[in-house]
Amino acid sequence: MTAHPEAPETATATYVFAVGRRLDPAVLSGLTGLAAGFPVRGLTFGPLTAVVQHVPADEFTQEAWQERLSDRAELERCARAHHEVVTRAATCGPTVPLALATLYRGDDRARQALAEDTHRFAATLDRVEGHAEWGVKVWVPAAAPKRPETAAAPSLRGSGGAGRAYLERKRGLRQAREHHHERALRIAEDVDAALRRLATAARRLRPHTPEMTGEKNRVQVLNAAYLVTAVRERELRDAAETWRRRTGVDVEVSGPWVPYSFVGEG
């Protein structure tokens, strides 16, 4: 490893945020990145440019990363810093974001390793140019509306019609829950199918569980990402709003994002 000129006694590694074709160094000005005191900068390899930063090697070992990633607050800080750099770089043109914690033993090793993937990077940049990622989440109420209970459950022994009526009510509630679940799944499929027709590519992601979302009154039934050209972004938002009005479910649209969900394809 080579020492950073501003910190001659500190051994450094090279952290890579993203790869693109065009990079204006001015857009990276003022970014802290993952390590204060080390500028975020460009590193060319062939026709492409990586967005990189020197980081103190002893603070970014595999063991240090494992400890960092097990600390939720620290993980969120690193993820936000990584995303901020990628987003800023993407203002210069199509960008391939690299995974969190992509590290090499110096610039020369980073350049060599990245150059081996030049073909893949170039193909991905061609595919995402002129596109952005949009996220769509569909939520439904956590349970079907309950019928009001007019009386406590009767004893079934010798209760005659009252017992049968109680069992009918229970059966009806179970059927209502099943219908609610089936309808939720149909809506998720219909929304996804409609939005896929507007997208160049789409990915279904695992819906977040109530434990992850902290939501008690609604359930996520669709969590998807769509790669969309700029000219179709309005159509996607309008389509999501149409489905919200038509079905009464919550349809959340977020974006535009750097196409993280689509850089590993092809």
Side-chain angles (χ1 to χ4, degrees):
M1 296 182 190
T2 57
H4 189 278
E6 296 180 8
E9 297 181 359
T10 302
T12 60
T14 298
Y15 185 100
V16 186
F17 295 92
V19 170
R21 287 196 177 98
R22 301 177 294 275
L23 180 67
D24 178 0
V27 306
L28 305 178
S29 176
L31 290 174
T32 301
L34 271 293
F38 296 89
V40 179
R41 57 196 169 83
L43 178 71
T44 60
F45 61 100
L48 304 179
T49 300
V51 182
V52 305
Q53 180 182 35
H54 277 144
V55 294
D58 60 350
E59 296 179 21
F60 287 82
T61 62
Q62 183 174 355
E63 294 76 15
W65 263 111
Q66 289 302 319
E67 182 177 348
R68 184 176 286 114
L69 298 179
S70 66
D71 182 330
R72 183 168 181 173
E74 180 65 7
L75 173 59
E76 290 180 354
R77 183 193 73 81
C78 292
R80 283 195 300 269
H82 184 97
H83 178 67
E84 182 183 18
V85 173
V86 171
T87 301
R88 191 79 68 85
T91 63
C92 297
T95 301
V96 177
L98 271 64
L100 191 67
T102 300
L103 283 157
Y104 297 96
R105 294 180 179 276
D107 285 3
D108 290 343
R109 179 69 189 103
R111 184 180 283 111
Q112 177 186 354
L114 295 170
E116 292 173 358
D117 267 343
T118 298
H119 234 18
R120 180 178 65 84
F121 286 131
T124 302
L125 290 167
D126 287 342
R127 187 172 63 251
V128 303
E129 186 163 15
H131 292 74
E133 178 173 327
W134 288 80
V136 176
K137 294 178 175 62
V138 174
W139 304 79
V140 299
K146 293 183 178 180
R147 300 176 185 176
E149 293 290 344
T150 58
S155 170
L156 299 184
R157 182 162 47 194
S159 59
R164 284 192 296 273
Y166 172 74
L167 291 176
E168 286 297 326
R169 286 198 303 274
K170 296 291 287 184
R171 186 179 300 114
L173 288 172
R174 184 177 67 252
Q175 292 173 343
R177 286 193 295 269
E178 292 173 353
H179 175 73
H180 176 74
H181 180 69
E182 291 170 359
R183 178 177 181 270
L185 295 180
R186 285 198 305 270
I187 290 173
E189 294 300 325
D190 290 344
V191 171
D192 182 50
L195 299 186
R196 281 174 182 266
R197 289 193 287 270
L198 302 173
T200 302
R203 283 192 63 195
R204 289 282 288 267
L205 310 173
R206 186 184 298 277
H208 296 151
T209 64
E211 291 75 20
M212 295 174 63
T213 64
E215 296 277 356
K216 296 181 179 180
N217 299 320
R218 61 180 189 163
V219 176
Q220 191 177 112
V221 294
L222 177 67
N223 180 19
Y226 302 92
L227 187 66
V228 181
T229 61
V231 296
R232 306 214 77 168
E233 290 176 357
R234 170 58 65 181
E235 291 180 75
L236 181 133
R237 292 197 300 269
D238 289 347
E241 176 61 18
T242 296
W243 279 99
R244 186 193 66 78
R245 292 196 306 266
R246 181 184 301 173
T247 62
V249 302
D250 293 333
V251 183
E252 295 180 355
V253 179
S254 63
W257 307 111
V258 177
Y260 285 91
S261 299
F262 301 95
V263 297
E265 301 182 344

